[in-house]
Amino acid sequence: MSDMRYDGKVAVVTGAGQGLGRSHAMFLASRGAKVVVNDLGGSTDGSGASKTPAQKVCDEIKAAGGTAVANYDSVSSEAGARAIIDAAVKAYGRIDILVNNAGILRDKALKNAGEAEIKPVIDVHLYGTIWCTLAAWNLMLEQGYGRVVNTTSAAGLFGNFGQTNYGAAKMGIVGFSHVAAIEGAKANVKVNVIAPAARTRMTEQLLGPMAEKLAPELVTPVVAYLAHESCEVSGETYSCGGGRVGRVFVGVVPGYYKPQLSVEDVRDNLAEIRDTSKFVIPKNAMEEIGLLMKVSAGK
């Protein structure tokens, strides 16, 4: 079968100066996409700024025969995000692919966390994803095409000590993406999420011996598929890393039903309430309500 290409497509990759973002940008450009390489160029905690990382990746893409421009705006403000998308429109006339990848870490146990740890992480991860998507959204709807790939984390999906700030932002991205996928469906705008495990400057101290097996380039194929015009899915989340990829989903079980439920009923039927053997995966909030209607009707 033929290679999957992105000829004629314009892609924006945030946080593309290093690690995962660099890998995504380099690959998309190698397959024909015109790429905006965005990176503020700060440290892993979000402090500072430098044009060097984004410009270096941009130069690498050009040296390999690809097409790219660098952008140095921050995703954490609505104005910065709009400037990033404007850079794509100014350079190439449109925006087809948005990969929201930019991120920072300010880990601290909840008992010790304050605004300095929480707000910047929420601003970059959650608001950064929202602002960049919003800036591109109407353009994608108007042209009847778009692919948005957002980045969550196992810390948000499953939890991790010392990362309440990060986890809250990352799970917020999943909820945002579910709704955006529903709203974009009629216009062929697909929104999906990855939960990557990769060796980057943000994670290399946390991964230990596993780091060598978790090259960023092993996550990029999943991003590349979700960003392609042939992508068949929307509103879904994929765990990926080290060559493995698998769907992560929010499911609900039929549980226990009693018209006049009491607190003792919850206590006495906890096993049935928690039984995951017959879960379903609702496509939207109304389908979850539909499960209640079926159970209450004895179906």
Side-chain angles (χ1 to χ4, degrees):
M1 297 179 69
S2 61
D3 289 343
M4 297 172 68
R5 295 192 57 82
Y6 307 84
D7 300 299
K9 298 293 191 292
V10 176
V12 171
V13 183
T14 68
Q18 301 185 61
L20 285 166
R22 175 187 176 278
S23 177
H24 304 337
M26 294 287 291
F27 182 85
L28 292 172
S30 74
R31 294 292 183 97
K34 299 173 182 176
V35 180
V36 174
V37 179
N38 161 262
D39 203 295
L40 178 64
S43 64
T44 56
D45 68 0
S47 61
S50 171
K51 294 182 177 180
T52 300
Q55 190 59 57
K56 183 178 179 181
V57 174
C58 183
D59 291 343
E60 286 184 78
I61 289 173
K62 290 180 178 179
T67 303
V69 293
N71 173 273
Y72 321 107
D73 290 289
S74 172
V75 303
S76 64
S77 72
E78 185 175 9
R82 191 159 298 281
I84 295 167
I85 303 304
D86 285 348
V89 175
K90 181 179 179 181
Y92 307 122
R94 58 186 292 126
I95 167 70
D96 300 290
I97 299 165
L98 171 61
V99 180
N100 284 307
N101 169 78
I104 64 171
L105 286 178
R106 294 195 180 188
D107 294 354
K108 188 159 287 191
L110 181 59
K111 66 179 183 179
N112 299 319
E115 184 176 3
E117 289 77 35
I118 295 171
K119 188 176 185 300
V121 172
I122 299 290
D123 284 347
V124 172
H125 289 276
L126 180 55
Y127 275 107
T129 296
I130 293 171
W131 293 140
C132 287
T133 303
L134 183 61
W137 195 249
N138 286 345
L139 298 173
M140 290 181 171
L141 294 183
E142 289 168 5
Q143 69 194 16
Y145 182 85
R147 297 290 183 267
V148 180
V149 184
N150 295 327
T151 307
T152 186
S153 169
L157 295 168
F158 308 114
N160 195 40
F161 188 92
Q163 293 192 310
T164 50
N165 50 0
Y166 185 70
K170 288 304 194 181
M171 199 58 180
I173 289 169
V174 175
F176 171 79
S177 301
H178 284 169
V179 178
I182 293 169
E183 295 187 9
K186 289 184 178 180
N188 192 24
V189 179
K190 297 185 177 182
V191 184
N192 289 288
V193 187
I194 63 162
R199 181 184 68 252
T200 70
R201 62 178 184 151
M202 285 175 54
T203 63
E204 59 186 355
Q205 301 303 317
L206 306 173
L207 294 174
M210 280 293 293
E212 291 305 312
K213 297 181 179 180
L214 298 175
E217 291 77 13
L218 293 175
V219 170
T220 293
V222 184
V223 173
Y225 171 74
L226 297 174
H228 196 265
E229 60 186 356
S230 67
C231 175
E232 298 179 4
V233 300
S234 191
E236 298 189 355
T237 300
Y238 293 89
S239 170
C240 46
R244 171 196 160 273
V245 55
R247 185 181 177 189
V248 179
F249 55 86
V250 176
V252 61
V253 302
Y256 172 81
Y257 173 73
K258 185 178 179 180
Q260 300 300 321
L261 187 70
S262 71
V263 62
E264 289 78 19
D265 290 326
V266 176
R267 177 197 65 196
D268 297 341
N269 294 277
L270 193 59
E272 186 175 354
I273 292 167
R274 299 182 68 245
D275 180 11
T276 59
S277 64
K278 298 178 181 179
F279 70 84
V280 297
I281 308 172
K283 294 180 181 178
N284 52 53
M286 294 311 298
E287 283 197 5
E288 199 271 341
I289 295 295
L291 177 63
L292 169 60
M293 302 307 292
K294 288 182 180 180
V295 171
S296 63
K299 297 180 180 180

